[in-house]
Amino acid sequence: FAKEHVNKSADEISIENFIKVVNFNKTEKDERIGIVGGEPCLHSKFDEIINIIKNDDNIHDCVIFTNGIELYNFADLFNHKKFLFLINCNSPQDIGEEKYKKLKKSILSLYKINKQFSLGVNLYSIEQDYSFIFDLLKISNRHGIRFSLSIPNSIKEKEKDVFEVFKKFKPFLNNFFKECFKHEIVPWNDCNSIP
């Protein structure tokens, strides 16, 4: 996806190369693999990729990192214990109401057939409205959320002192944690740890 972002390329991995990569990475039985993108569900042969994983006895589990918007289209493929999901959720203001409805549909579809998923949110602005995430957590019966604090990554922003940027987020994060506590949600961070 970095190439796509930089060069605006729409290339996607071929099934043959996907199989080569999976075989290269398998070193022993019970191997875990992760599928990332861009957005994995947009791959033109995503269903074929899922079936390859499903039928490979040497892959113990597969984590799919997704925005969840198109996941409901494949929900019937995921009625298998191998699949785990991290759905990085975005607000209706960021993705639009139509995509947000699809996100909710995907979460509800997964909840019905495969309860092995977590929801996540990227915190990128002290003005950000994150209230939507508590609705999604409630409908999916989740009691924890993965969060990540976005760090400056544009050329102009990279000149800023990241520690100073994080300090500006302190009141915002305190409010986020208070809201999590109020909703009985445990927040956890797996990248971009707060200093």
Short mmCIF file of all heavy atoms in Angstrom, two decimals, residues 11 18 21 31 42 58 69 73 75 86 103 139 144 160 165 179 188-189 195:
data_model
loop_
_atom_site.label_atom_id
_atom_site.label_comp_id
_atom_site.label_asym_id
_atom_site.label_seq_id
_atom_site.Cartn_x
_atom_site.Cartn_y
_atom_site.Cartn_z
N ASP A 11 -1.66 -1.70 -8.27
CA ASP A 11 -1.17 -3.08 -8.32
C ASP A 11 -1.68 -3.86 -7.13
O ASP A 11 -1.86 -3.33 -6.04
CB ASP A 11 0.37 -3.10 -8.30
CG ASP A 11 0.98 -2.55 -9.57
OD1 ASP A 11 0.24 -2.43 -10.56
OD2 ASP A 11 2.17 -2.25 -9.56
N PHE A 18 1.08 -14.57 -3.79
CA PHE A 18 0.55 -14.71 -2.43
C PHE A 18 0.92 -16.08 -1.87
O PHE A 18 1.41 -16.19 -0.75
CB PHE A 18 -0.97 -14.52 -2.41
CG PHE A 18 -1.57 -14.76 -1.07
CD1 PHE A 18 -1.45 -13.83 -0.06
CD2 PHE A 18 -2.23 -15.96 -0.79
CE1 PHE A 18 -1.98 -14.06 1.21
CE2 PHE A 18 -2.76 -16.20 0.46
CZ PHE A 18 -2.64 -15.24 1.45
N VAL A 21 4.62 -16.16 -0.98
CA VAL A 21 4.90 -15.43 0.26
C VAL A 21 4.46 -16.25 1.47
O VAL A 21 5.19 -16.37 2.46
CB VAL A 21 4.21 -14.04 0.25
CG1 VAL A 21 4.28 -13.39 1.61
CG2 VAL A 21 4.83 -13.16 -0.81
N GLU A 31 1.57 -21.88 12.29
CA GLU A 31 2.04 -20.55 11.93
C GLU A 31 0.87 -19.56 11.90
O GLU A 31 -0.23 -19.89 11.52
CB GLU A 31 2.69 -20.61 10.55
CG GLU A 31 3.43 -19.37 10.16
CD GLU A 31 4.69 -19.14 10.96
OE1 GLU A 31 5.32 -20.11 11.38
OE2 GLU A 31 5.02 -17.97 11.15
N LEU A 42 -10.50 -5.23 -0.72
CA LEU A 42 -10.60 -4.67 -2.07
C LEU A 42 -9.83 -5.48 -3.11
O LEU A 42 -9.94 -5.23 -4.30
CB LEU A 42 -10.12 -3.22 -2.08
CG LEU A 42 -10.95 -2.24 -1.26
CD1 LEU A 42 -10.35 -0.83 -1.34
CD2 LEU A 42 -12.40 -2.24 -1.70
N ASN A 58 -1.20 -25.90 7.68
CA ASN A 58 -0.03 -25.38 8.39
C ASN A 58 -0.24 -23.97 8.90
O ASN A 58 0.62 -23.43 9.60
CB ASN A 58 1.21 -25.43 7.50
CG ASN A 58 1.65 -26.85 7.26
OD1 ASN A 58 1.69 -27.66 8.18
ND2 ASN A 58 1.95 -27.17 6.01
N ILE A 69 -15.24 -1.91 6.06
CA ILE A 69 -16.32 -1.38 5.22
C ILE A 69 -16.88 -2.43 4.26
O ILE A 69 -18.09 -2.52 4.08
CB ILE A 69 -15.87 -0.10 4.48
CG1 ILE A 69 -15.59 1.01 5.50
CG2 ILE A 69 -16.92 0.34 3.46
CD1 ILE A 69 -14.92 2.25 4.92
N ASN A 73 -19.32 -8.43 2.84
CA ASN A 73 -19.45 -9.16 1.58
C ASN A 73 -18.83 -10.55 1.64
O ASN A 73 -19.14 -11.41 0.81
CB ASN A 73 -18.79 -8.38 0.44
CG ASN A 73 -19.54 -7.13 0.08
OD1 ASN A 73 -20.76 -7.15 -0.06
ND2 ASN A 73 -18.82 -6.03 -0.06
N ALA A 75 -18.48 -12.29 4.78
CA ALA A 75 -18.73 -12.81 6.12
C ALA A 75 -18.93 -14.32 6.14
O ALA A 75 -18.44 -15.00 7.04
CB ALA A 75 -19.92 -12.11 6.75
N LEU A 86 -8.81 -7.36 13.21
CA LEU A 86 -8.68 -6.06 13.85
C LEU A 86 -9.32 -5.08 12.89
O LEU A 86 -8.81 -4.85 11.78
CB LEU A 86 -7.23 -5.67 14.13
CG LEU A 86 -7.06 -4.27 14.72
CD1 LEU A 86 -7.88 -4.08 16.00
CD2 LEU A 86 -5.62 -3.95 14.97
N LEU A 103 -19.87 -0.45 7.56
CA LEU A 103 -19.00 -0.84 8.66
C LEU A 103 -19.81 -1.52 9.76
O LEU A 103 -19.44 -2.60 10.24
CB LEU A 103 -18.25 0.38 9.21
CG LEU A 103 -17.46 0.19 10.50
CD1 LEU A 103 -16.37 -0.86 10.34
CD2 LEU A 103 -16.87 1.52 10.96
N ILE A 139 -22.73 -2.61 20.13
CA ILE A 139 -23.46 -3.54 19.26
C ILE A 139 -22.67 -4.83 19.02
O ILE A 139 -23.25 -5.85 18.67
CB ILE A 139 -23.87 -2.91 17.91
CG1 ILE A 139 -22.65 -2.57 17.06
CG2 ILE A 139 -24.76 -1.70 18.11
CD1 ILE A 139 -22.97 -2.20 15.62
N GLY A 144 -13.17 -3.99 25.06
CA GLY A 144 -11.83 -3.43 24.93
C GLY A 144 -11.69 -2.79 23.58
O GLY A 144 -12.41 -3.14 22.63
N LYS A 160 8.04 19.25 13.44
CA LYS A 160 7.57 19.52 14.78
C LYS A 160 8.19 18.54 15.77
O LYS A 160 8.56 17.43 15.42
CB LYS A 160 6.04 19.38 14.86
CG LYS A 160 5.29 20.39 14.03
CD LYS A 160 3.79 20.14 14.16
CE LYS A 160 3.01 21.12 13.31
NZ LYS A 160 1.58 20.83 13.34
N VAL A 165 3.79 17.52 20.32
CA VAL A 165 2.50 17.13 19.73
C VAL A 165 1.76 16.22 20.70
O VAL A 165 0.57 16.41 20.96
CB VAL A 165 2.71 16.42 18.37
CG1 VAL A 165 1.40 15.84 17.85
CG2 VAL A 165 3.31 17.39 17.35
N GLU A 179 -14.04 8.40 29.10
CA GLU A 179 -15.20 7.88 28.38
C GLU A 179 -15.13 6.35 28.30
O GLU A 179 -16.15 5.68 28.43
CB GLU A 179 -15.28 8.48 26.96
CG GLU A 179 -15.82 9.87 26.93
CD GLU A 179 -17.27 9.95 27.39
OE1 GLU A 179 -18.12 9.22 26.85
OE2 GLU A 179 -17.54 10.74 28.31
N TRP A 188 -6.38 -0.29 24.96
CA TRP A 188 -5.02 -0.82 24.90
C TRP A 188 -4.34 -0.29 23.65
O TRP A 188 -4.98 0.00 22.66
CB TRP A 188 -4.99 -2.35 24.97
CG TRP A 188 -5.87 -3.07 24.00
CD1 TRP A 188 -7.21 -3.32 24.13
CD2 TRP A 188 -5.51 -3.62 22.74
NE1 TRP A 188 -7.69 -3.99 23.03
CE2 TRP A 188 -6.67 -4.20 22.17
CE3 TRP A 188 -4.31 -3.68 22.03
CZ2 TRP A 188 -6.67 -4.82 20.93
CZ3 TRP A 188 -4.31 -4.31 20.79
CH2 TRP A 188 -5.49 -4.89 20.26
N ASN A 189 -3.05 -0.15 23.76
CA ASN A 189 -2.25 0.48 22.72
C ASN A 189 -1.23 -0.54 22.22
O ASN A 189 -0.56 -1.16 23.02
CB ASN A 189 -1.57 1.70 23.34
CG ASN A 189 -0.68 2.41 22.37
OD1 ASN A 189 0.51 2.17 22.37
ND2 ASN A 189 -1.23 3.28 21.57
N PRO A 195 4.55 8.64 25.20
CA PRO A 195 5.76 8.79 26.07
C PRO A 195 5.36 8.94 27.54
O PRO A 195 4.30 9.43 27.85
CB PRO A 195 6.40 10.07 25.56
CG PRO A 195 5.80 10.35 24.22
CD PRO A 195 4.45 9.69 24.21
#
